[in-house]
Amino acid sequence: MRIDEESEGVSASRNHLVFAYYVTGHGFGHATRVVEVVRHLILAGHDVHVVTGAPDFVFTSEIESPRLFIRKVLLDCGAVQADALTVDRLASLAKYSETAVVPRASILKTEVEWLTSIKADLVVSDVVPVACRAAADAGIRSVCVTNFSWDFIYAEYVMAAGSNHRSIVWQIAEDYSHCEFLIRLPGYCPMPAFRDVVDVPLVVRRIRRSRKEVRQELGIEDDVKLVILNFGGQPAGWKLKVEFLPPGWLCLVCGGSDTQELPPNFIKLAKDAYTPDFMAASDCMLGKIGYGTVSEALAYKLPFVFVRRDYFNEEPFLRNMLEYYQGGVEMIRRDLLTGHWKPYLERAISLKPCYEGGINGGEVAAHILQETAIGKNYASDKLSGARRLRDAIILGYQLQRVPGRDMAIPEWYANAESELGMGSPTCEMSEKSSLMNSCTEDFEILHGDLQGLSDTMTFLKSLAELDSMYDSDKSAEKRQMRERKAAAGLFNWEDEIFVARAPGRLDVMGGIADYSGSLVLQMPIKEACHVAVQRNHPSKHRLWKHALVRQQAEGKNPTPVLQIVSYGSELSNRGPTFDMDLADFMDGDQPMSYEKAKKYFSQDPSQKWAAYVAGVILVLMTELGIRFEESISLLVSSTVPEGKGVSSSASVEVATMSAIAASHGLSISPRDLALLCQKVENHIVGAPCGVMDQMTSACGEANKLLAMLCQPAEVLGLVEIPGHIRFWGIDSGIRHRYEALYVKMLPESILGETFLVKYDGHNDPVTVIDPNRNYGVTAPAKHPIYENFRVKAFKALLTSANSDDQLTALGELLYQCHYSYSACGLGSDGTNRLVRLVQEMQHSKASKSGDGTLYGAKITGGGSGGTVCAVGRNSLQSSQQILEIQQRYKDATGYLPYIFEGSSPGAGKFGYLRIRRRPCVNPNE
């Protein structure tokens, strides 16, 4: 049932009623919206007993009445936050168990007695589960008022904690089922536990003072740009700086600590400041998404620059609502911490938020509660079995979802809801607002799943822009870019395109010991390569002019051609395009040899890069007997930086082979695909690499470490990265270039010629021993033996109890690995400097004053430069310290390191997309 925005108001003195209003302990947002509902109930002459863990001032600053009674009890802890932007999933479940599960019998007994003693007419919950069960036991009706329920939020946390915690979710859902109906607020999540629903407008606190009055009080002229910083409490140790704000801007800081010193362009608000007035006086807001911030930003038409939180599933639904009404700009966490605020603030003030819906949800909800308490039956709009089933499926999806995957509202859910005529903002938002939906507007996705990956959405958006660019003269700047111009004519847009994605990798443990059969632990990183492939009959293929001239000069009928465009050529000093007749891969009736192919791609240094991409086709021809009889168009776009030791080449190979296999109907397992890609790099590119990189890119999973042996290539399993641990990669800027029985038997070094005479070769078919070189023996032999032990210990520690000792031991293993690398002669000044900076930060006074943040670091991959892997606590302070290390490294060397942070699925887990461009519709027709 939907209540109209124009309400009758709350009738005064419809009997003198007593309400027991339970408020969750999660943040102030719930308490502030409860205030608005309670205010209207008290204005109507009723008594309200608020059961809460929130400070009294949240209620008493707005309501001064003897009819308001505050009972300080915490029965629902909500989500435990490690800091302002990070939810600790395991701690949340542990705290809920401690707060509501272990003492459950005692809580129910106490609450039933208390409800009876105050003679409550109605129990209202926002959104404390046990309150509904206590009301039922006391024989009192209950109603929930909320936009989300804890069974939906905790569902993801169970994935981190293990299925033995699912009973918490089911208990919460069972408690909610005793509620008579749900008063549902806009921006809601699926809530299958509730049988009946009444939709109301936004619950928003009223404004007491005008923009002009607030600015006069603060002494701020009307032409000064004002941003309000609202994170529900400042991140610990966060330092705000003058340069964070553009000239002519001031910032109002909510929740700053009493000891925090602020720059002159930042103004600290009192802790009990009435935030709505200051929001309405500002030009935009910078903060985290919650119901309170989003609803009030929409109500006051205040542009909202938001930073995402990890692991809070309410956020995507509110975010979609915010973006649908053109009121939101997303800021990445790194830019928040480094003070790169200017482009976001300037973008925000250009927005025109367009929310025109009702903002009297507090009054409407109070009216419904009053009428329910005197006996009116609102439970008439029962959610259909189909609708509740859809919600339940979404909840089940949460319980089984891929860790690390962004939560998005499934299109089928939104469409089904629209078919029921629910007409909720959630449906409209999810169909029109986000980048994901702009992708589905551009392309029909015939197979596959975007998996919430923003880089995939961006890649599809860039494809759509190529289509319009091809026939447009408006993109003068873009047309000057050779690669974009070439890519614009690459595809036939009415035909299907196949897209694959493969990430780079961070070598967490194992490194060069993989050559000796040691266990390795590798993490697929957030940065990835996307490849789009289209096959066409030669007669339909769009040929570049020189390729067309070549075929005409040879007097040929149209023959299959391979055309490749690779983005990023300007940054790597290589040609942006490559093309060849596919027949050139044949030597008579057989594919050309790998050695011949290697020479073919080495002819032109600016085209040598094509061996990584085109070489995939030759390997498939040689190893699987595939013959390619149609033309192939191929676009490569990678965000994996080159030369930084994170496997940029492997990601290109794996993504290319995945896309070509998908477009030609080939079924290749991720492991076999990795082995085939290794052949590309070993035999056609000519790089003597192991298979570790390709295996991680193909077989890895988000937020897990791939445990594998590389000789032979054997995946041993996946190791979940605990929620309290995070890994970073820090680029040095320097490019790649047992003891009891055996140690006394090994020489310190050996001449290559001596080794060949004595041992007649080695087991690696792609590396060559130089007879004239003197090779170190003792340290390189010692490293893999001890490294294998270190990796096994590291793997075991990841599954041990969350403690400072656990992190300290993990960090110590990284340090030991780094020193062992160095003993093999693989260190570099840059990587050694980064490891020292991590050590200095770890042992600094700031880190020792509380829980430690950073715990260890090591050189990665092949060594001699590249990237350092660091381990630390998953918190905002750790991220800030990584950024501080980045700046210290720049101050010392002049080079600003690239920071790798985050994880994403491997190519096998991603699968592939099969897409078709939707026809453009002329709006004037």
Side-chain angles (χ1 to χ4, degrees):
M1 175 182 295
R2 175 167 293 281
I3 301 297
D4 293 336
E5 291 159 8
E6 294 299 325
S7 124
E8 323 169 355
V10 185
S11 305
S13 300
R14 293 290 301 272
N15 301 324
H16 173 256
L17 301 171
V18 177
F19 294 88
Y21 212 132
Y22 289 79
V23 187
T24 183
H26 180 74
F28 284 0
H30 296 267
T32 56
R33 73 187 182 198
V34 165
V35 164
E36 188 61 18
V37 180
V38 169
R39 186 173 67 85
H40 284 286
L41 289 172
I42 288 177
L43 284 174
H46 306 305
D47 288 355
V48 182
H49 295 256
V50 175
V51 184
T52 182
D56 288 7
F57 76 81
V58 177
F59 301 92
T60 56
S61 62
E62 175 71 3
I63 304 170
E64 295 181 10
S65 171
R67 295 188 179 280
L68 173 65
F69 304 88
I70 300 177
R71 178 172 167 243
K72 298 304 286 291
V73 180
L74 183 65
L75 300 176
D76 169 11
C77 63
V80 176
Q81 297 196 188
D83 54 48
L85 291 174
T86 309
V87 172
D88 188 327
R89 296 173 291 175
L90 298 182
S92 297
L93 291 173
K95 185 67 174 177
Y96 186 83
S97 182
E98 175 191 327
T99 305
V101 177
V102 174
R104 179 176 174 81
S106 172
I107 288 172
L108 287 171
K109 182 175 183 294
T110 300
E111 296 311 302
V112 168
E113 290 174 355
W114 177 75
L115 290 169
T116 303
S117 71
I118 67 169
K119 296 181 172 60
D121 294 292
L122 186 70
V123 171
V124 188
S125 177
D126 184 353
V127 64
V128 181
V130 75
C132 303
R133 176 57 185 268
D137 289 354
I140 303 170
R141 301 165 77 187
S142 65
V143 176
C144 283
V145 183
T146 186
N147 64 304
F148 75 83
S149 55
W150 286 113
D151 48 347
F152 185 69
I153 303 300
Y154 285 160
E156 182 182 55
Y157 304 172
V158 168
M159 290 303 297
S163 59
N164 56 307
H165 288 77
R166 290 187 187 183
S167 59
I168 290 178
V169 173
W170 305 140
Q171 181 65 71
I172 290 172
E174 198 273 334
D175 281 349
Y176 286 144
S177 71
H178 293 284
C179 165
E180 188 163 319
F181 64 93
L182 165 68
I183 295 177
R184 189 170 59 179
L185 305 178
Y188 57 81
C189 305
M191 292 180 277
F194 299 102
R195 295 165 293 170
D196 304 278
V197 62
V198 179
D199 285 295
V200 299
L202 287 173
V203 175
V204 179
R205 290 178 291 175
R206 58 183 177 156
I207 296 174
R208 298 174 183 169
R209 294 174 295 167
S210 70
R211 173 187 171 97
K212 185 176 181 180
E213 289 171 332
V214 172
R215 283 183 171 246
Q216 283 180 344
E217 177 189 315
L218 295 171
I220 298 173
E221 297 295 328
D222 197 56
D223 60 344
V224 173
K225 295 299 180 187
L226 197 59
V227 55
I228 182 166
L229 190 69
N230 191 357
F231 279 93
Q234 288 260 148
W238 194 17
K239 296 178 182 177
L240 299 168
K241 300 178 182 178
V242 170
E243 59 267 26
F244 284 14
L245 296 175
W249 282 73
L250 293 175
C251 179
L252 304 178
V253 180
C254 301
S257 67
D258 295 333
T259 58
Q260 185 180 25
E261 294 185 7
L262 295 180
N265 50 350
F266 287 79
I267 302 169
K268 187 185 302 178
L269 297 179
K271 285 193 174 180
D272 60 352
Y274 190 64
T275 311
D277 288 352
F278 294 99
M279 289 175 64
S282 300
D283 296 288
C284 67
M285 176 166 59
L286 171 56
K288 64 180 180 182
I289 284 182
Y291 181 85
T293 51
V294 170
S295 62
E296 291 176 352
L298 290 174
Y300 313 142
K301 293 183 169 55
L302 180 69
F304 188 177
V305 179
F306 61 87
V307 183
R308 294 196 192 190
R309 283 181 292 177
D310 292 332
Y311 313 126
F312 204 76
N313 292 334
E314 173 198 26
E315 183 174 286
F317 295 84
L318 293 173
R319 184 176 77 233
N320 284 351
M321 182 166 67
L322 187 67
E323 292 175 346
Y324 174 65
Y325 291 116
Q326 301 172 42
V329 176
E330 181 179 351
M331 175 186 281
I332 63 173
R333 188 177 297 193
R334 186 181 304 167
D335 286 343
L336 170 71
L337 294 174
T338 57
H340 186 57
W341 294 7
K342 181 179 177 181
Y344 299 99
L345 299 180
E346 291 178 347
R347 168 64 180 146
I349 61 174
S350 72
L351 297 178
K352 304 293 182 186
C354 60
Y355 180 77
E356 299 293 345
I359 59 173
N360 61 335
E363 180 182 359
V364 173
H367 174 75
I368 296 169
L369 294 173
Q370 174 187 268
E371 296 299 297
T372 301
I374 62 175
K376 184 171 180 179
N377 182 16
Y378 271 96
S380 59
D381 187 22
K382 288 188 180 294
L383 289 173
S384 70
R387 168 57 197 277
R388 291 187 73 199
L389 176 61
R390 281 192 290 276
D391 277 3
I393 290 171
I394 295 296
L395 179 61
Y397 163 70
Q398 285 302 98
L399 285 167
Q400 301 294 341
R401 66 181 288 202
V402 177
R405 171 171 169 169
D406 186 23
M407 174 59 197
I409 304 170
E411 187 177 3
W412 62 264
Y413 178 84
N415 291 343
E417 190 172 23
S418 297
E419 290 166 10
L420 285 174
M422 301 295 286
S424 72
T426 304
C427 309
E428 298 167 338
M429 313 177 256
S430 57
E431 289 174 343
K432 300 179 183 178
S433 63
S434 66
L435 178 58
M436 176 183 288
N437 292 311
S438 69
C439 293
T440 56
E441 288 171 6
D442 294 327
F443 291 100
E444 182 182 2
I445 298 178
L446 306 171
H447 172 89
D449 183 355
L450 296 175
Q451 299 190 20
L453 293 164
S454 59
D455 62 341
T456 302
M457 301 175 204
T458 301
F459 178 70
L460 294 188
K461 197 67 184 170
S462 72
L463 278 182
E465 290 168 355
L466 289 177
D467 182 14
S468 58
M469 177 181 169
Y470 184 71
D471 296 316
S472 171
D473 291 327
K474 296 178 181 179
S475 305
E477 183 178 339
K478 287 184 179 179
R479 291 174 73 87
Q480 294 172 5
M481 298 172 60
R482 292 170 57 203
E483 60 189 36
R484 296 276 174 173
K485 188 174 180 180
L490 196 59
F491 300 115
N492 291 319
W493 296 106
E494 65 275 12
D495 294 333
E496 293 178 357
I497 298 173
F498 291 78
V499 175
R501 176 190 185 277
R505 67 97 185 97
L506 183 65
D507 166 33
V508 174
M509 285 292 283
I512 57 166
D514 63 313
Y515 290 104
S516 301
S518 171
L519 177 69
V520 298
L521 295 174
Q522 307 294 305
M523 183 181 81
I525 59 177
K526 181 178 64 177
E527 290 77 10
C529 175
H530 285 85
V531 171
V533 168
Q534 186 179 72
R535 43 188 295 206
N536 276 299
H537 190 276
S539 62
K540 289 180 62 181
H541 197 211
R542 285 177 169 174
L543 287 177
W544 292 324
K545 288 182 180 178
H546 66 272
L548 183 62
V549 169
R550 182 179 69 231
Q551 288 205 356
Q552 290 174 342
E554 295 173 359
K556 294 180 179 178
N557 292 323
T559 58
V561 172
L562 170 65
Q563 294 187 150
I564 307 171
V565 175
S566 176
Y567 285 168
S569 58
E570 297 93 339
L571 302 176
S572 53
N573 195 29
R574 53 180 165 79
T577 65
F578 174 86
D579 67 280
M580 62 180 289
D581 291 345
L582 284 171
D584 291 347
F585 273 134
M586 299 299 292
D587 196 351
D589 59 355
Q590 294 295 319
M592 71 163 65
S593 68
Y594 288 151
E595 188 60 33
K596 192 170 182 179
K598 182 179 174 182
K599 292 178 181 177
Y600 177 90
F601 288 110
S602 299
Q603 296 175 99
D604 181 351
S606 71
Q607 299 278 292
K608 189 175 181 180
W609 61 269
Y612 293 98
V613 184
V616 163
I617 292 176
L618 180 59
V619 167
L620 289 172
M621 294 171 69
T622 303
E623 305 298 329
L624 301 186
I626 308 298
R627 295 295 179 264
F628 297 91
E629 298 176 352
E630 291 185 298
S631 290
I632 299 173
S633 297
L634 202 149
L635 174 63
V636 181
S637 177
S638 180
T639 59
V640 185
E642 297 177 28
K644 299 188 185 301
V646 288
S647 303
S648 59
S649 60
S651 66
V652 170
E653 293 156 357
V654 171
T656 300
M657 188 167 287
S658 298
I660 289 177
S663 64
H664 289 79
L666 306 177
S667 179
I668 307 174
S669 72
R671 177 184 180 276
D672 290 344
L673 187 137
L675 292 169
L676 290 170
C677 288
Q678 183 193 20
K679 290 182 181 295
V680 176
E681 189 145 357
N682 286 170
H683 302 303
I684 300 177
V685 176
C689 72
V691 76
M692 180 177 76
D693 300 352
Q694 289 85 357
M695 289 289 280
T696 308
S697 187
C699 305
E701 293 187 20
N703 296 318
K704 295 180 181 179
L705 301 180
L706 183 73
M708 64 172 295
L709 297 175
C710 300
Q711 287 195 2
E714 182 182 350
V715 174
L716 300 183
L718 294 154
V719 183
E720 190 91 35
I721 300 173
H724 65 284
I725 294 175
R726 176 165 276 183
F727 295 102
W728 294 265
I730 313 173
D731 158 43
S732 68
I734 300 171
R735 298 178 70 91
H736 275 315
R737 305 165 283 167
Y738 74 80
E739 298 201 9
L741 294 177
Y742 300 108
V743 69
K744 294 179 181 179
M745 299 170 59
L746 296 174
E748 285 292 324
S749 62
I750 190 170
L751 190 68
E753 182 180 29
T754 305
F755 178 89
L756 290 170
V757 170
K758 189 171 183 179
Y759 297 106
D760 193 28
H762 61 310
N763 292 329
D764 191 340
V766 294
T767 56
V768 177
I769 294 175
D770 182 355
N772 300 314
R773 179 177 173 180
N774 201 40
Y775 290 90
V777 176
T778 305
K782 181 179 179 181
H783 174 78
I785 294 170
Y786 284 93
E787 185 71 354
N788 188 48
F789 169 78
R790 285 189 289 264
V791 179
K792 287 180 178 178
F794 195 94
K795 181 172 179 277
L797 278 167
L798 285 173
T799 60
S800 66
N802 174 4
S803 68
D804 201 61
D805 289 341
Q806 176 205 30
L807 282 157
T808 300
L810 290 170
E812 178 59 29
L813 289 170
L814 288 186
Y815 286 138
Q816 289 181 16
C817 175
H818 180 75
Y819 300 136
S820 184
Y821 259 73
S822 301
C824 296
L826 292 171
S828 70
D829 290 342
T831 51
N832 289 339
R833 183 187 296 274
L834 284 170
V835 171
R836 285 197 303 271
L837 286 171
V838 171
Q839 285 179 310
E840 290 168 10
M841 189 66 71
Q842 177 186 357
H843 299 295
S844 67
K845 185 177 179 181
S847 287
K848 286 189 170 183
S849 60
D851 283 342
T853 51
L854 301 181
Y855 288 84
K858 64 174 273 286
I859 194 171
T860 70
S864 304
T867 295
V868 160
C869 171
V871 65
R873 192 174 294 280
N874 184 9
S875 69
L876 204 59
Q877 186 176 353
S878 296
S879 295
Q880 188 173 356
Q881 291 191 341
I882 289 290
L883 293 170
E884 193 172 331
I885 289 170
Q886 179 190 45
Q887 189 59 47
R888 288 186 187 181
Y889 189 86
K890 182 189 177 187
D891 294 343
T893 67
Y895 175 79
L896 185 69
Y898 184 98
I899 304 296
F900 298 94
E901 185 172 6
S903 181
S904 67
K909 203 69 178 175
F910 179 82
Y912 67 90
L913 301 176
R914 180 165 59 93
I915 61 175
R916 182 187 290 118
R917 189 75 164 96
R918 294 186 187 275
C920 295
V921 177
N922 187 340
N924 298 319
E925 290 181 355

